Amino acid sequence: MWGRYRRARHRGKHDYLCQDTWVSDTPAVPQHCPTPRELDDLELLSTGALAPITRFNVMVEQRAPASVVETAGPDSEALISLSLPEEVFASAEQAGAVELVDPEGLPLARVTVPGGEVQPLTHAQYGPFRDLYLTPAEARAQYAGRTWVPVTDALTVAQVEQVRTLGPVVLVPLVGTGTPELSPVALTRATRLVAETLTDAAVVAVPLASHDDPEADHALGIQVLATYAGDDPVVALADDPDGDYAPEVVDVVAADRPAPDERGLVLFFTGLSGSGKSTLARALVDKILEQGSRTITSLDGDVVRRNLSAGLTFSKADRETNIRRIGWVAAEISRHGGLVVVSPIAPFDETRQQVRAMVDEAGGAFFLVHVATPLEECERRDRKGLYAKARRGEIPEFTGISSPYEVPTDADVVVDTTGRTIPDALEDVIRALKQSGYLDLTSGPAVEQRAPASVVETPDAADELQRRTLDSITSSEVRVDADGGRTPAVEQRAPASVVETPASESPLHVLFVCTANICRSPFMEVTARHLAGPDAEIEFRSAGTHGWTDHPMNPDMVVTLGPRGITGHEEFRSRPLTKAELDWADVVLTAEADHRQFILDDHPALFRKVFTLGQFVESLGGHDDLHGRALLEAVGAQRSAASPDLDVADPYRRGAEASEAAAAHIEQLLRAALAALIGTESKDPA
């Protein structure tokens, strides 16, 4: 009868946005925050708009209202249900009632249990265009004698002309959950804009929700409009699916229905521990930032635990709460057109569906990536020994061992990382994103063609450095500082006069980072200083993400220096990483991808200058003609992924053999990195 009104859309449940609490009455009357659909139904029940329906069908959660409709046929009364969590239902049944509150905790009504009778306490206190939400009595008192026109989408040119022929009208945007084709706010705004062009038109907003039964919902809509109109006529708009929108509403529709690649987007990675989901997610974040077309937020791991979910344990209930919190934040980011990547294990389908519903309600897009690496492969990769501990019973409720992982049936892409490189596996995600229309990462970065100024303004001293080769430097040419090679932090800081020196003439600052700053990063520092030589315009420091304070270099790593003719470790003392060190550095080179992520979690703006050492060397290809800051700018704009495969293994407490292996790996990478930075004939590791 009303054209587009029949095409109602499911928006999903939202009762997880509010926590159930109990008031102190005797007997205790529980409080409950209903879903958005139930809140819409409550408002219409409270105002009498659903007459002759006056009460809820109260039921325990999981007894889906749809099943009632299926057995009862197109029964409008059966649609108006209130679903309570089992513990709330039991408490309400004992007390005889439940108190319904809005998302901010404001009590709206008491509902008898099991009867479902509604006793209004107050009306909704917030929301855009709230002055247009009239009760049927208020609407009839103000607009008696007019024609009532239900609206579920922005009006087309032909529909506006139809309305002009009706005389004085009331346009009724049906803004309940799941009903309008536009968002409720956009539909109301568009309807008001049309009303302003008509001779005599008013607007009344009615929160008539969809209940996922088009036939019964349509009958309910007729009933509600009849209650509002009384004896006045109700006229449906002619269906005009191919018509042009009225000029007044075109901009509103465009803003409310952005193109797929302009929508807010939640990229949700799920998979077992060790499946590679976090690594893939980080690589995808890098790729998006490299392209430069959109900003991005990463919600993952320890940062979320520290800031968003502090105090939660790793129990099943708390893990699910953590995912819902992540999902809620992600949905809010998508509401405003943002792009967010999350990668929890998220083993249960119910929680994933709740997050999907949050994103859908916010108007964002939800893209699910199932990293389907088999359990056997995840166990094989288990460097932290978590699976072994779980099999011994030391870690309870461990997903895949003592707690199930429910395989998604609705993933947008499935990726198995077994035997694959991260760039190769990432291509599966990139292709699927392009096919979805949400994100095309196949084009190059926006800054790729921009020539850095330092390429043109290379000073003569730098030209001389570019003619040097690291391989030609012998130990007899190396000048060891009087203090043994490592100058204290305060002495290494650039003097004030350097502030006024053009960047192209000041020394490059390189900061090496590992965990404790006693093994890998100090080896990087003293070895880099040795390889670069005394005349190179480059300075080196090191620090640790969890750096010990004032400790000497690890003895096993010290042993590896002698055969290489490297001195200067005697005065070395470890230190923790600080923001001042990060600000000092032109480039930060870490031992592992985890160190890099640790830095970027707290300082995402430093993305273009923080690399793993292996990643930096991998990114040098194609930049043979660039050195110094010009090279850093180019590599910062387009880089390879920070794959853990490129990490320098931690030798701490693993003996002399592990220390020598780490030293050899670092030396090989440093030769390539420094040859490129200083400028030589070759960037291949020696």
Side-chain angles (χ1 to χ4, degrees), residues 161-316:
E161 292 308 310
Q162 176 191 355
V163 173
R164 289 189 195 280
T165 68
L166 300 177
V169 296
V170 179
L171 300 178
V172 186
L174 301 178
V175 292
T177 302
T179 295
E181 296 292 316
L182 296 173
S183 68
V185 173
L187 178 62
T188 308
R189 184 181 296 119
T191 304
R192 288 189 66 180
L193 289 172
V194 168
E196 291 171 2
T197 70
L198 301 174
T199 303
D200 190 358
V203 177
V204 173
V206 175
L208 178 64
S210 165
H211 304 81
D212 305 317
D213 184 318
E215 187 177 355
D217 275 329
H218 186 63
L220 185 63
I222 293 174
Q223 182 177 316
V224 169
L225 262 294
T227 301
Y228 270 88
D231 296 330
D232 294 328
V234 176
V235 174
L237 291 169
D239 203 12
D240 187 19
D242 299 321
D244 293 331
Y245 285 113
E248 298 81 12
V249 304
V250 168
D251 289 344
V252 175
V253 174
D256 199 60
R257 294 177 180 166
D261 61 350
E262 296 176 350
R263 292 179 66 186
L265 177 62
V266 176
L267 297 163
F268 194 101
F269 287 75
T270 176
L272 295 171
S273 176
S275 63
K277 63 185 180 304
S278 294
T279 303
L280 272 179
R282 286 197 296 264
L284 183 63
V285 169
D286 289 353
K287 191 73 173 176
I288 293 168
L289 288 171
E290 287 166 9
Q291 190 192 52
S293 61
R294 297 188 67 169
T295 57
I296 187 169
T297 300
S298 176
L299 298 175
D300 188 27
D302 292 338
V303 175
V304 169
R305 281 277 175 179
R306 286 198 305 267
N307 298 291
L308 186 63
S309 297
L312 293 183
T313 69
F314 286 90
S315 68
K316 179 180 182 296

Side-chain angles (χ1 to χ4, degrees), residues 446-456 626 629-630 633-634:
V447 298
E448 190 173 2
Q449 302 300 322
R450 181 162 55 93
S454 55
V455 174
V456 180
L626 299 179
R629 288 184 172 82
E633 185 168 0

Side-chain angles (χ1 to χ4, degrees), residues 396-586:
E397 296 187 291
F398 192 87
T399 302
I401 304 298
S402 51
S403 182
Y405 178 83
E406 297 175 0
V407 176
T409 59
D410 57 346
D412 294 280
V413 62
V414 179
V415 183
D416 183 350
T417 64
T418 306
R420 305 175 68 184
T421 65
I422 291 301
D424 179 51
L426 184 62
E427 278 303 311
D428 292 356
V429 180
I430 291 173
R431 281 194 299 269
L433 279 170
K434 182 177 181 179
Q435 291 170 1
S436 72
Y438 295 137
L439 192 62
D440 183 0
L441 296 173
T442 59
S443 59
V447 298
E448 190 173 2
Q449 302 300 322
R450 181 162 55 93
S454 55
V455 174
V456 180
E457 301 174 0
T458 304
D460 293 342
D463 289 338
E464 177 63 27
L465 287 172
Q466 290 173 15
R467 290 190 288 270
R468 295 172 54 89
T469 64
L470 290 175
D471 291 338
S472 68
I473 299 175
T474 66
S475 59
S476 62
E477 293 177 292
V478 177
R479 184 180 68 212
V480 180
D481 294 342
D483 65 355
R486 179 180 174 95
T487 307
V490 66
E491 295 178 22
Q492 285 194 0
R493 295 189 183 279
S497 59
V498 174
V499 176
E500 300 176 3
T501 302
S504 59
E505 298 177 3
S506 62
L508 280 179
H509 295 164
V510 180
L511 177 66
F512 299 109
V513 176
C514 68
T515 305
N517 191 218
I518 61 170
C519 291
R520 291 167 289 178
S521 58
F523 181 89
M524 293 176 188
E525 178 185 347
V526 296
T527 301
R529 190 175 291 119
H530 170 83
L531 293 174
D535 298 325
E537 293 293 319
I538 188 167
E539 298 178 6
F540 305 100
R541 297 184 189 176
S542 65
T545 57
H546 299 76
W548 294 357
T549 300
D550 212 28
H551 281 244
M553 190 171 174
N554 175 263
D556 285 339
M557 291 302 294
V558 170
V559 170
T560 68
L561 297 174
R564 294 172 168 81
I566 302 173
T567 58
H569 68 277
E570 294 84 359
E571 299 301 321
F572 171 83
R573 291 296 180 269
S574 62
R575 59 183 171 189
L577 182 66
T578 66
K579 182 61 164 58
E581 299 291 344
L582 294 171
D583 291 340
W584 170 86
D586 293 303

